[in-house]
Amino acid sequence: LQDFQPNQYTQTVWDRLVAFFGNEYGAAGMMANLYAESGCTPWRCQGWYGFSTSVVQGCANYYTQVDNGTITRDEFVQYGWADDQTIDTSGSRDGYGLAQWTTQGRKEGLYDTRAGRGIEDIQVQFEWLEYELNHGYTSTRDTCINATDINTPTDYVLYHFESPANPGHYVNQRRRYANQIYN
């Protein structure tokens, strides 16, 4: 997407981030990255984009199987969801949720945070996000809390929290989203 496009989750994400950081620049920077990763959509499987019926149903099939135990904790932590709606063992579709958590430790934390609730629950994902920011990613949290411009937290989240391959490739897109979100 070239431009930020609000959806049914974006206001909730904005409100929660502003409350957590107490800083709209920091909230815009984090939200721009969450938007680039998942469209600010808590049930998003990596590689599944948009809100078409097939995407919504495909991701719902995944989280339903995670929630009911058909996909085990170990399978959730290790794998993602393929286009043919089977577990993707290739390692190319491992991300899940608002932040597209991908690594084993981060997905274990998300899974364990749910405590009987749905893995797709936005409150579960915010609990995990805030836990990460208050523990392993305190410099990201502090950068967002203390931001005096939009680019600093946007870039910091990109490089130090999301950490995709070749992050420099995504700087302009995420800065554009952050400015659109802030405005």
Side-chain angles (χ1 to χ4, degrees):
L1 297 174
Q2 288 297 314
D3 293 310
F4 171 76
Q5 298 173 9
N7 63 47
Q8 64 188 19
Y9 301 102
T10 52
Q11 189 64 53
T12 300
V13 171
W14 174 256
D15 293 345
R16 186 79 180 244
L17 292 172
V18 169
F20 182 75
F21 295 128
N23 183 318
E24 290 185 351
Y25 292 132
M30 176 61 79
M31 188 168 169
N33 279 279
L34 297 178
Y35 184 78
E37 294 291 328
S38 71
C40 291
T41 307
W43 46 261
R44 179 81 61 210
C45 299
Q46 184 174 346
W48 292 67
Y49 304 107
F51 290 92
S52 69
T53 301
S54 63
V55 168
V56 173
Q57 288 177 343
C59 291
N61 288 342
Y62 178 70
Y63 69 70
T64 298
Q65 290 182 53
V66 171
D67 292 347
N68 71 22
T70 302
I71 294 175
T72 67
R73 179 184 188 271
D74 287 343
E75 289 170 326
F76 172 76
V77 166
Q78 193 170 9
Y79 305 117
W81 199 231
D83 287 339
D84 65 359
Q85 297 191 39
T86 61
I87 291 178
D88 173 35
T89 59
S90 73
S92 63
R93 293 284 183 92
D94 295 348
Y96 184 76
L98 285 174
Q100 289 296 284
W101 287 283
T102 303
T103 62
Q104 181 174 341
R106 294 179 87 181
K107 286 180 79 175
E108 286 171 341
L110 173 59
Y111 189 94
D112 295 344
T113 296
R114 68 193 193 111
R117 297 171 290 170
I119 198 76
E120 75 287 358
D121 185 304
I122 197 165
Q123 297 310 318
V124 167
Q125 294 196 19
F126 267 110
E127 287 172 25
W128 177 238
L129 176 66
E130 291 171 3
Y131 180 88
E132 281 194 309
L133 291 167
N134 282 328
H135 294 84
Y137 293 88
T138 56
S139 63
T140 300
R141 178 202 63 207
D142 294 347
T143 298
C144 290
I145 287 171
N146 298 310
T148 58
D149 66 272
I150 289 179
N151 290 344
T152 300
T154 303
D155 295 354
Y156 200 90
V157 171
L158 171 61
Y159 280 90
H160 301 284
F161 183 79
E162 289 296 350
S163 307
N166 191 17
H169 178 75
Y170 303 104
V171 169
N172 290 335
Q173 173 201 50
R174 294 185 191 207
R175 285 180 176 184
R176 186 173 53 257
Y177 290 163
N179 279 282
Q180 292 169 340
I181 290 164
Y182 182 81
N183 291 328

